[in-house]
Amino acid sequence: MTDRSSTPDQQPPTKIDTTVPHSARIWNYWMGGKDNYEVDRIAGDEYREVAPNIETMARASRAYLIRSVTHVAGECGIRQFLDIGTGLPTYDNTHQVAQRVAPEARIVYVDNDPLVLRHAQALLTSTREGVTDYIDADLHEPERILEAAAKTLDFDRPIALMLMGILGHIQNYDEAVSIVRRLQAALPSGSYFVHYDSTDTDQALKQAQQGYDDTGAVPYVLRSVEQVSRFYEGLELIEPGIVSCPLWRPAPSETDIETTDVHGGVARKP
């Protein structure tokens, strides 16, 4: 494992293409992280010129993760989390939030990005009572993910399945729905689905995303709220349903809320 004190620009790891921008690294840049390259910063700046709200979206998405994981671990009593499409470690990662509420929580992270793999050590810290694990796998192979996750998680007990900003990378919509269904089918009753994705609800965002896709990077599909809603079929949505992420159970002190073009929700499997 490479020393975490070094930055990507100092020591590019093998298998990481530094000539093409990458969404996880750009997201890291927008959130103030250091795990990105010049090509990502250039693409991120160009994206922001067209869609100035993108940094607000990135930070709102992390705030939603914090609130939703806190709720699921706290009020819902979930002690197992399967976080697929982990992304680069920043602040308040899933295990940190869940184990603040329940030190015994068990978290399995899944990603297939070599840079995330390089930084997996940062994700494998855990409380003494809990467990964290990391699986190098692709969302296109849900059965492989489930098989590997079963080495750490007990699939006879409720699990929170987290797909945070990742389903847009599955370009075929029917395939995305199929993957979600197969993952949800493996969960026992009482499990939760925690999700968000960027939506096609703003013309500037659609234009910025098209410009990013045209760079040759892995594209991200902005879908309608109606399409996103299909991922929750057969589940029991908890209030307030599928909404712009800042509107999902904000703190009482948050009165001047700015909505973003990232929609998500939390639902229980009956």
Side-chain angles (χ1 to χ4, degrees), residues 11-28:
Q11 285 190 2
T14 58
K15 298 185 180 179
I16 296 176
D17 187 349
T18 63
T19 65
V20 177
H22 190 285
S23 60
R25 302 191 309 246
I26 296 173
W27 207 252
N28 176 269

Side-chain angles (χ1 to χ4, degrees), residues 84-85 110 112 137-142 145 163 166-167 170 179 183:
I84 304 176
V110 182
N112 70 334
D138 193 308
L139 181 57
H140 288 89
E141 301 177 304
I145 291 173
L163 295 173
I166 187 65
L167 289 171
I170 307 297
I179 288 170
L183 289 168

Side-chain angles (χ1 to χ4, degrees), residues 80 106-108 131-133 135 147-154:
Q80 302 188 106
R106 304 171 74 86
I107 295 88
V108 171
V131 175
T132 64
D133 197 4
I135 299 170
E147 181 181 0
K151 297 175 183 178
T152 301
L153 305 179
D154 180 357

Side-chain angles (χ1 to χ4, degrees), residues 203-218:
Q203 187 58 43
L205 186 67
K206 292 167 67 174
Q207 181 181 344
Q209 187 61 51
Q210 185 60 57
Y212 171 80
D213 294 345
D214 290 344
T215 66
V218 177

